[in-house]
Amino acid sequence: MPLRVLIADDEELARNELCFQLERSADVQVVGQAADGVQTVALAQSLVPDLVLLDVQMPGMTGFEVAHKLLEQGIQTQVVFVTAFDQYAINAFEVNAVDYLLKPVESSRLAKSIQRVRQLISQSEPPGEEERQRVVKYTAERRNRR
């Protein structure tokens, strides 16, 4: 069964790029796209995707507000933040995010995130301290490359 993904980003180009990368994987289905936080919550409620690829800064509601709302409403979906801002990485785990990807998204990192989501769905466990440390290391490495 394909992994059902909702892409939420206020930039159409960013959504299209993620769709392009995900289309190369036969076991992933993009079920919807949202351009703002309010639309993201509505689509997550109706589509109940396995995964939401979520930008941090969007109109209407921030990505963190969306993630909180999804948790409050008990919507069973995994969240991976996709953003240009590395300073929010630690905050992502406060809303049980699986991963934190920095734009431009590298195909290999996206594939690893998809793999982690699949593992979590099969295990039904939120990310732990090891995952937090991995993301902190990744964002520091990306920051140093600039």
Side-chain angles (χ1 to χ4, degrees):
M1 177 166 273
L3 187 72
R4 298 169 29 98
V5 179
L6 171 61
I7 298 172
D9 196 307
D10 60 324
E11 296 179 20
E12 184 177 5
L13 187 60
R15 292 192 311 269
N16 290 342
E17 176 61 26
L18 286 171
C19 281
F20 174 76
Q21 289 189 40
L22 292 171
E23 286 172 356
R24 296 192 280 179
S25 178
D27 59 346
V28 175
Q29 176 187 13
V30 176
V31 295
Q33 294 185 39
D36 63 51
V38 174
Q39 184 182 26
T40 302
V41 172
L43 285 175
Q45 290 171 333
S46 64
L47 299 173
V48 191
D50 300 310
L51 169 63
V52 178
L53 294 175
L54 185 58
D55 190 14
V56 171
Q57 294 186 341
M58 293 188 299
M61 298 171 76
T62 68
F64 291 110
E65 291 169 329
V66 169
H68 280 287
K69 186 68 95 175
L70 297 178
L71 284 172
E72 287 172 6
Q73 295 181 357
I75 297 172
Q76 298 296 312
T77 187
Q78 303 297 322
V79 172
V80 170
F81 283 98
V82 182
T83 183
F85 304 99
D86 58 4
Q87 69 263 32
Y88 302 115
I90 300 302
N91 300 13
F93 291 103
E94 293 176 2
V95 290
N96 295 333
V98 174
D99 208 346
Y100 191 91
L101 302 176
L102 292 175
K103 295 176 184 177
V105 177
E106 299 168 359
S107 295
S108 61
R109 280 289 292 127
L110 181 58
K112 287 178 184 178
S113 287
I114 296 294
Q115 183 180 16
R116 281 190 188 93
V117 168
R118 288 188 182 286
Q119 288 173 336
L120 283 173
I121 288 173
S122 67
Q123 296 172 355
S124 298
E125 285 185 24
E129 183 59 29
E130 183 177 311
E131 286 297 302
R132 287 182 184 86
Q133 292 301 320
R134 182 191 55 74
V135 170
V136 169
K137 180 181 175 190
Y138 167 70
T139 55
E141 287 171 357
R142 283 287 299 255
R143 187 179 300 134
N144 291 337
R145 278 193 253 163
R146 293 181 192 162

